[in-house]
Amino acid sequence: MLATLFQLMGTMFFLMLVGALLRLTGLIDDRAKKSLTDIILYAILPCNIIKAFSSNISGCGAEDFATILIIAIAVQVMALFISKFLYGFIKKGKKEVYQYGTVCSNSGFLGNPIAEGVFGTTGLMYAAVFLIPQRIVMWSAGVSFFSKEDNRVETYKKVLTHPCMVATYIGLLIMIINFKIPSFINGAITALSNCTTAMTMVYVGTILVDINIKKLINLQQIYFSFIRLIVMPSVVYVLCLIAKIDPLISGVCVLLTGMPAGSTTSLLAAKYEADEDAAAQSVVFTTILSIITIPIWSAILLNNL
């Protein structure tokens, strides 16, 4: 598991280094950064969402499926509650970043392989189910955090018609009716989807060039990281113990709840003119800290099996 974790972390940081070098050499200027953001948000991420909803979860029993889904929904409700009430003291611009980072973790890239490494193929299947509510909330309520529309109708309209939200509708429909996407279309979707991690981390790297690394660690980042990596998984862990949930199911749910901030935090901060620096810092800082917290959580959860 540790080998898998360090390999994934190494991949992420090397991709960020590539982005930083491209920025420093001028190959990615401000205009190119904006174009890169649009390509990721409007083409690559929608394909990634559709592919994720097409994941094979047929081996998951109805009772286990329902249990995981209920826990996952409860986690998103908790995340929305935290987002609404625990960041009130943070100024606008940064606040939206931490709100979205609380709702959206990096469970897709880090969570799936780590869940498989710790709990085997069953853990990977359970992870696919757990991520369903997050994929819906991150592109609905999550995007709404960044919206600057005063008119609520316009806000809901923009959120509900966002390409990633449209992809969510398509993905849900594919999952519900178990539709098999034609191979030539599926091949194109998969090809674009496979670019997600590389492109998003390269983008984060372009932002890091303009950040004062000395300011990476500050009280607000520590506060957010504490909530993201310790408080949220701890609440899920305790509640699962009280409810006497199957240790394998609770283990997957706790582990995925404790993942670092999702890299899409930086993309949306840039797109909607929030604090890009704070967004990149939150992704990098929580990812670094997760090198410590993920193994600790894994050891605790494996001890319960």
Side-chain angles (χ1 to χ4, degrees):
M1 186 275 295
L2 281 176
T4 301
L5 175 61
F6 284 119
Q7 181 180 345
L8 292 169
M9 297 292 188
T11 299
M12 290 176 65
F13 285 110
F14 187 78
L15 288 168
M16 284 192 283
L17 176 62
V18 171
L21 290 173
L22 290 172
R23 177 68 169 165
L24 285 170
T25 56
L27 291 173
I28 296 182
D29 56 15
D30 290 339
R31 187 174 178 181
K33 273 180 66 178
K34 184 180 184 306
S35 297
L36 185 60
T37 304
D38 291 339
I39 290 169
I40 296 171
L41 281 175
Y42 297 136
I44 293 174
L45 281 174
C47 289
N48 180 252
I49 293 167
I50 293 172
K51 182 173 180 282
F53 276 109
S54 304
S55 300
N56 183 19
I57 56 175
S58 57
C60 187
E63 186 176 342
D64 289 345
F65 182 94
T67 302
I68 298 166
L69 204 58
I70 290 170
I71 296 172
I73 292 170
V75 168
Q76 290 306 307
V77 171
M78 173 179 66
L80 291 171
F81 177 86
I82 289 172
S83 299
K84 185 173 179 62
F85 295 105
L86 296 190
Y87 299 121
F89 65 95
I90 297 175
K91 69 178 183 179
K92 193 172 178 60
K94 282 188 178 181
K95 180 180 178 180
E96 299 93 306
V97 166
Y98 297 134
Q99 286 178 315
Y100 182 83
T102 301
V103 168
C104 175
S105 72
N106 204 2
S107 298
F109 177 67
L110 281 180
N112 280 344
I114 294 299
E116 184 177 21
V118 177
F119 300 108
T121 53
T122 304
L124 179 61
M125 181 175 60
Y126 286 173
V129 178
F130 180 84
L131 286 171
I132 293 171
Q134 177 178 286
R135 295 187 191 283
I136 296 171
V137 173
M138 67 186 282
W139 295 115
S140 52
V143 174
S144 71
F145 291 137
F146 291 100
S147 178
K148 297 180 179 180
E149 291 285 345
D150 294 327
N151 188 324
R152 284 198 170 188
V153 175
E154 284 300 313
T155 298
Y156 294 141
K157 182 180 177 181
K158 283 191 173 182
V159 170
L160 294 175
T161 57
H162 190 282
C164 289
M165 200 62 209
V166 173
T168 302
Y169 306 146
I170 296 171
L172 281 170
L173 183 62
I174 289 171
M175 184 185 70
I176 292 169
I177 67 175
N178 197 25
F179 176 72
K180 187 170 179 60
I181 303 172
S183 58
F184 66 95
I185 297 177
N186 189 54
I189 290 173
T190 301
L192 282 169
S193 174
N194 290 343
C195 298
T196 303
T197 299
M199 295 295 278
T200 52
M201 296 318 297
V202 164
Y203 179 78
V204 172
T206 65
I207 299 173
L208 288 176
V209 171
D210 303 320
I211 293 177
N212 185 345
I213 299 300
K214 293 180 181 179
K215 295 182 180 180
L216 179 63
I217 302 175
N218 55 65
L219 290 177
Q220 291 181 355
Q221 290 289 353
I222 293 171
Y223 176 72
F224 167 70
S225 300
F226 180 70
I227 291 173
R228 173 76 264 174
L229 300 174
I230 298 175
V231 173
M232 292 177 66
S234 295
V235 171
V236 177
Y237 178 67
V238 171
L239 292 178
C240 284
L241 283 179
I242 293 172
K244 297 181 179 179
I245 302 296
D246 177 85
L248 181 54
I249 291 176
S250 62
V252 171
C253 294
V254 171
L255 194 61
L256 265 67
T257 303
M259 288 291 132
S263 54
T264 48
T265 309
S266 293
L267 293 168
L268 290 173
K271 183 65 182 175
Y272 293 98
E273 299 178 349
D275 193 323
E276 284 186 71
D277 290 356
Q281 288 168 352
S282 68
V283 173
V284 174
F285 192 50
T286 54
T287 299
I288 292 172
L289 290 181
S290 69
I291 296 175
I292 300 170
T293 58
I294 290 175
I296 292 174
W297 276 118
S298 298
I300 295 170
L301 297 167
L302 283 172
N303 190 54
N304 290 339
L305 292 178

